[in-house]
Each structure stands twice: as structure tokens, then as C-alpha cells.
Amino acid sequence: MQISSRFSVAVHVLSLLAMYQPTDAPLTSERMAGSVNTNPVVIRRILGQLKKAGLVEVRPAAGGTFLTRQPAIISLLDVYRAVEVVEAGRLFGMSEKPNPACTVGRYIQSALDVTLQRAQTALEQELAGVSLQQVTVDIAAKAAVGAG
Amino acid sequence: MQISSRFSVAVHVLSLLAMYQPTDAPLTSERMAGSVNTNPVVIRRILGQLKKAGLVEVRPAAGGTFLTRQPAIISLLDVYRAVEVVEAGRLFGMSEKPNPACTVGRYIQSALDVTLQRAQTALEQELAGVSLQQVTVDIAAKAAVGAG
DNA sequence: GCTTATTGTAACAATAGCGGTTACAGTAGG
DNA sequence: CCTACTGTAACCGCTATTGTTACAATAAGC
């Protein structure tokens, strides 16, 4: 099963915030939803998770939404963790209760655990190595090429 | 969302097959289900996928089930792919149709794609680096310690 | 050849998470 | 005080998963 699209939507939303210019129209959840092409409530739910993780500040009413850190020091792993795509350390599902009367059943979980943890960590380290700034720079570069 | 437990069940089943001794009682889907602690049909479904991937040979009726390769040359990535945990190259879900009228919406997918692919590949390479044999050796070692 | 245990598969239920939607109370700018 | 926006609850429909029952097809062993 796929990892929830919440993660890519969150990166999208943060990119909008990072690239926001004061001359632009205010970035409401409705406008963000227009860019992602979804419902504003979906955006607000994700903003709530990003806020809880301390990545953004959201002021109710006409207060606006802001990043709390420079895009260069927000990693994609921060975002991944913020939207709680999976419970920490539990990317792989395991059958809950193998039969302890069988040697394989008794030890399979601990035998697999190290490998699955390493695999999960390898994935997360790739995300840790990319910043929000790198994403927005890439978007800007592609836009420049696309426009020229 | 978690990766389906089919994968860990498949590794469990293959471990049973790899550690099978001719003096043991035959490894039917019912006995395997007893070790995993699930329903025999669940095992047969997974065996069907492993068979389709060429990892096992299953003979109907009282024919028995066998690995087609040495455990040393079956990687956990082979198993992962066999049970089709995710469509190839699509571990991360993306929102389908961001708004192309917005710069971010237009380029976010291609900007993210390289990173997400790398993250997925990093996970898969960890699985590729571990063989079924390593798993069964680990199980046997833990069993020896646990028994002694 | 028969018997019998086993596989292969279809069908169905229950569960869970997700994305989407409506509705509405709370809140702060202006 | 108005107004626009956020925060959140509640609900729907969809999909994937796991577990279960049922049964036809199959081949091993006598």
C-alpha cells in the first residue's frame, strides 16, 4: 500500500509558503487548495499537523500563515514526520502474534526487525538530505526553463 | 500507512521452507498458517504470489511446496517484489492533478520525483542486501541461544 | 482406479485509513 | 461590529487488507 499523499501535499503547501511574495494575494487555505487541486479542509488538516510540528505558524481569521524556519533548514524528513505518515519505526506491518511454539514463529520478528529498521532508516535519510529550499529552487529552475 | 504484512508473512513462510527437514511433518498451508497464526487461505494466497514470481514450486494435492533456488540467492527484495507490496516505483502517493496554472502546482511533481525515487530505492537496496539464508541463520542462532 | 488430503480460487464480511465534503463555532483584522 | 478565515467535528464513498467459508480440481498413495 502506498504512503499517504499527505506527505507530498504537505511539501506542496510548504513550497507555496516558501515561495510566497508579499505582492501575491494572501495564501488562504482555499488558494492553497486551488494549487493542489483539493478541498480547503484537506489543506487545513495538514496545516494543523505542520503547526503541531512547529514548522508553520497559522493565525486564525485573516492572520495569515508563515514558515517558522528558513526553507534551507526544513528537511523533507521533518515534513514526513510532521504528517505522521507512519508511526515511528513501523513502516513495515508485521503479523501480530506468530506461534511461539515454532522456532521460526518465535524468532522471525526479531530476526527481521534489524533489516526492516535499516530499510526504513535508509528511506528516511534520503528525505533528511533534501531541504524545502532545494525543492523550491528546483521548481523555480523548471519554471524558468518552462517559461523560456 | 503501513506496508502490508504480506511481506513479513512471506518471509516467514519462506523461512519455514528453507529450514524444513525431511524428517519434519509435511509443510502444508495449514501447518504454515499455524506458525504464522493466521488462516490457511492467507498462506495459500501468498504462496500463489511467490509461485508466480518463481520463488517456490507448489504441487497441488499432497505434492508439497519447495524453494526453487538456494536461500542464499533469494533476497528480501525478491520477496518484497513478489508480494507486490507496492506498484513498482510508486511507494509514495502523490496528489493526482495539481493545478498547472500555478507554478508550484505545475512543477512540484517532477521536483519531488527524483527525491522520492531515491528514497524508495534506498529502502529497496537494504532489502536487496539481505538474503533468506541470512534470516534463517539468524533465526537458528537466536533459537540456539534461547534454548541454551 | 479410488480415496483422501491438499491446493486454487471465488465470494463475502469486517475493519481501517484516506480523501472529500458540509456545516458551523471561534477568532482576529480592519 | 463585520467579515473572512481557521479549526474541527461528522459523515460519505472508496479502496486495500485480513480473515473466513465453501467448493471444485488435483495428484499421491494404496
Side-chain angles (χ1 to χ4, degrees), chain A residues 64-136:
Chain A
T65 303
F66 313 92
L67 297 180
T68 57
R69 310 209 294 257
Q70 295 293 326
I73 57 172
I74 295 178
S75 76
L76 296 194
L77 179 58
D78 294 330
V79 183
Y80 179 83
R81 291 256 162 83
V83 296
E84 292 170 350
V85 170
V86 291
E87 192 181 349
R90 300 244 158 270
L91 178 56
F92 289 89
M94 306 259 285
S95 91
E96 296 83 12
K97 36 182 176 33
N99 186 348
C102 167
T103 299
V104 175
R106 188 173 191 79
Y107 299 107
I108 183 76
Q109 288 192 340
S110 65
L112 261 182
D113 197 55
V114 176
T115 297
L116 300 189
Q117 279 294 336
R118 262 209 306 265
Q120 176 172 346
T121 299
L123 178 142
E124 294 180 353
Q125 285 313 301
E126 288 291 334
L127 298 183
V130 178
S131 70
L132 178 59
Q133 185 177 49
Q134 286 173 262
V135 175
T136 60

Side-chain angles (χ1 to χ4, degrees), chain A residues 1-3 5 8 12 34-35 37 85-86 90-91 93-94 97 99 102 107 110-111 118 126 138 142-143, chain B residues 1-3 5 8 34-35 37 85-86 90-91 93-94 97 99 102 104 107 110-111 118 126 138 142-143:
Chain A
M1 196 174 252
Q2 281 190 320
I3 289 175
S5 70
S8 63
H12 187 148
S35 175
N37 198 10
V85 170
V86 291
R90 300 244 158 270
L91 178 56
M94 306 259 285
K97 36 182 176 33
N99 186 348
C102 167
Y107 299 107
S110 65
R118 262 209 306 265
E126 288 291 334
D138 196 10
K142 287 179 197 296
Chain B
M1 195 175 255
Q2 280 190 321
I3 289 174
S5 70
S8 63
S35 174
N37 198 10
V85 170
V86 290
R90 300 244 160 269
L91 177 56
M94 305 258 286
K97 36 182 175 37
N99 186 347
C102 166
V104 175
Y107 298 106
S110 66
R118 263 210 306 264
E126 288 292 332
D138 195 10
K142 287 178 197 294

Side-chain angles (χ1 to χ4, degrees), chain B:
Chain B
M1 195 175 255
Q2 280 190 321
I3 289 174
S4 162
S5 70
R6 276 201 308 275
F7 172 59
S8 63
V9 172
V11 175
H12 188 149
V13 164
L14 292 170
S15 298
L16 289 169
L17 290 169
M19 298 179 83
Y20 178 75
Q21 304 289 331
T23 57
D24 298 343
L27 265 183
T28 65
S29 65
E30 185 152 0
R31 289 184 59 82
M32 298 188 209
S35 174
V36 177
N37 198 10
T38 184
N39 191 287
V41 174
V42 173
I43 301 295
R44 294 206 286 269
R45 279 201 283 242
I46 288 171
L47 279 176
Q49 294 184 282
L50 296 175
K51 183 177 166 184
K52 197 164 69 174
L55 296 179
V56 303
E57 181 185 358
V58 184
R59 305 210 192 102
T65 303
F66 314 92
L67 296 180
T68 57
R69 310 209 294 255
Q70 296 293 326
I73 56 173
I74 295 178
S75 75
L76 296 194
L77 180 58
D78 293 331
V79 183
Y80 178 84
R81 291 255 163 83
V83 296
E84 294 171 347
V85 170
V86 290
E87 193 182 348
R90 300 244 160 269
L91 177 56
F92 289 89
M94 305 258 286
S95 93
E96 296 84 12
K97 36 182 175 37
N99 186 347
C102 166
T103 300
V104 175
R106 188 173 190 77
Y107 298 106
I108 183 76
Q109 289 193 338
S110 66
L112 261 182
D113 197 55
V114 176
T115 297
L116 300 188
Q117 280 294 335
R118 263 210 306 264
Q120 175 172 348
T121 300
L123 178 143
E124 294 180 354
Q125 286 313 300
E126 288 292 332
L127 299 182
V130 177
S131 71
L132 179 59
Q133 185 176 51
Q134 286 174 262
V135 174
T136 59
V137 165
D138 195 10
I139 290 171
K142 287 178 197 294
V145 172

